[in-house]
Amino acid sequence: MSAMKIAACQMVSGPDLGANLVAASRLLESAVAQGAQLAALPEYFCLMGHHDSDKLAYAETLGHGPIQAMLSRAARELRLWIIGGTLPIKADTPDRVRNTTLVFSPSGEVVARYDKIHLFAYDNGRESYDEARVLEPGTQPTAFDAEQLRVGLSVCYDLRFPELYRAYNPCELLAVPAAFTYTTGEKHWELLLRARAVENQCYVIAPAQGGKHENDRRTWGHSMIVDPWGEVLAVVPEGEGVACADIDPARLAQVRQQLPALAHRKL
């Protein structure tokens, strides 16, 4: 495996689809300008509406629609691997969508699809969320190869379920596009990302929503890239930005050789 520079793009998306796509394009261009060969956008990069149901009106059929067209065009023109955050893809269940990550190769082709498996629910008396009201869950883990780099896909709340990531071993990179709430992100975001990196001895790229949105929701941000030893290599605390770092094959081999935990699994 050769070295590869990767980029986690942080956004503060709103209800205007066109404006969000322009912002995403700008960040992808910035990632390439910094030498990135693979870039990842956050969950809901294309739309953070006033209501959960707003995304139903923007749901696309696989292979068609302005969101997919923008991602394909950007990948092709920038010669970039793009992990396309998430976008709403039409589901089999009426009044539901899949929260879907699509991966585009530098030729602009879709090479992988992952539908978010674990749906977030939270209620502390002040904040209340239930993604199952609008989302239909996925069922299958999905990985893909970017050149010689094996990448396992997940989305946001999936981060709390380590068994999903075990399904991806061996893997060099785990992707976690997210829109963590400020409340949960402040306590658990970095902790969980570093744990997934350490226990799977691989890199983690975590592009996030980060800031105050037009719908009055505040997301935690802190998009980051973590190495296999749990070291945070780059981070964007809040607001729009790009975190870049290198996938270092020598570092990966060193961690796995000096502490061969993956080979010691029993259960």
Side-chain angles (χ1 to χ4, degrees):
M1 186 181 74
S2 57
M4 177 183 284
K5 177 158 285 193
I6 61 175
C9 300
Q10 182 159 293
M11 296 180 65
V12 189
S13 299
D16 186 328
L17 176 67
N20 295 331
L21 297 186
V22 168
S25 296
R26 181 174 62 248
L27 288 167
L28 293 171
E29 290 169 3
S30 176
V32 170
Q34 295 176 61
Q37 298 155 276
L38 179 149
L41 294 165
E43 184 181 28
Y44 298 130
F45 84 95
C46 54
L47 186 76
M48 289 282 280
H50 291 283
H51 307 284
D52 287 346
S53 59
D54 288 354
K55 60 179 67 69
L56 295 172
Y58 295 91
E60 296 185 354
T61 302
L62 187 64
H64 303 278
I67 305 169
Q68 294 172 79
M70 169 264 162
L71 292 170
S72 176
R73 182 173 60 253
R76 185 174 61 254
E77 293 179 353
L78 297 172
R79 302 303 298 168
L80 181 69
W81 290 93
I82 296 178
I83 298 173
T86 68
L87 67 152
I89 292 290
K90 291 180 180 179
D92 295 332
T93 307
D95 299 323
R96 295 287 190 278
V97 294
R98 293 290 182 105
N99 193 16
T100 298
T101 297
L102 295 178
V103 179
F104 293 80
S105 74
S107 66
E109 299 298 318
V110 174
V111 295
R113 170 183 175 171
Y114 170 75
D115 296 338
K116 185 177 183 180
I117 293 174
H118 302 95
L119 302 185
F120 180 56
Y122 180 76
D123 190 344
N124 65 0
R126 300 180 305 277
E127 298 174 85
S128 178
Y129 304 95
D130 184 1
E131 290 186 323
R133 286 195 290 258
V134 174
L135 298 184
E136 180 181 84
T139 59
Q140 294 296 321
T142 303
F144 71 98
D145 294 308
E147 310 302 340
Q148 298 166 308
L149 185 72
R150 186 71 173 166
V151 185
L153 298 174
S154 64
V155 175
C156 201
Y157 190 51
D158 286 330
L159 184 59
R160 296 182 182 275
F161 301 88
E163 61 273 19
L164 171 62
Y165 300 94
R166 284 302 200 201
Y168 290 135
N169 277 318
C171 196
E172 287 81 45
L173 178 65
L174 298 171
V176 193
F180 252 60
T181 69
Y182 190 93
T183 304
T184 58
E186 182 180 27
K187 300 300 182 184
H188 300 152
W189 173 245
E190 181 177 332
L191 174 71
L192 290 169
L193 289 171
R194 295 176 70 188
R196 297 295 87 85
V198 169
E199 70 195 9
N200 293 291
Q201 297 186 315
C202 62
Y203 286 86
V204 171
I205 183 170
Q209 296 284 348
K212 187 67 178 291
H213 301 268
E214 191 174 318
N215 61 8
D216 290 329
R217 179 177 174 182
R218 187 180 180 189
T219 46
W220 175 242
H222 292 77
S223 297
M224 65 179 64
I225 298 170
V226 186
D227 87 352
W229 198 243
E231 299 288 343
V232 177
L233 301 180
V235 62
V236 180
E238 195 169 26
E240 190 176 288
V242 178
C244 286
D246 291 317
I247 297 281
D248 182 354
R251 176 62 165 162
L252 191 66
Q254 177 196 34
V255 167
R256 292 179 174 182
Q257 182 177 29
Q258 69 187 13
L259 181 62
L262 295 176
H264 293 162
R265 292 175 59 202
K266 300 296 184 183
L267 303 180

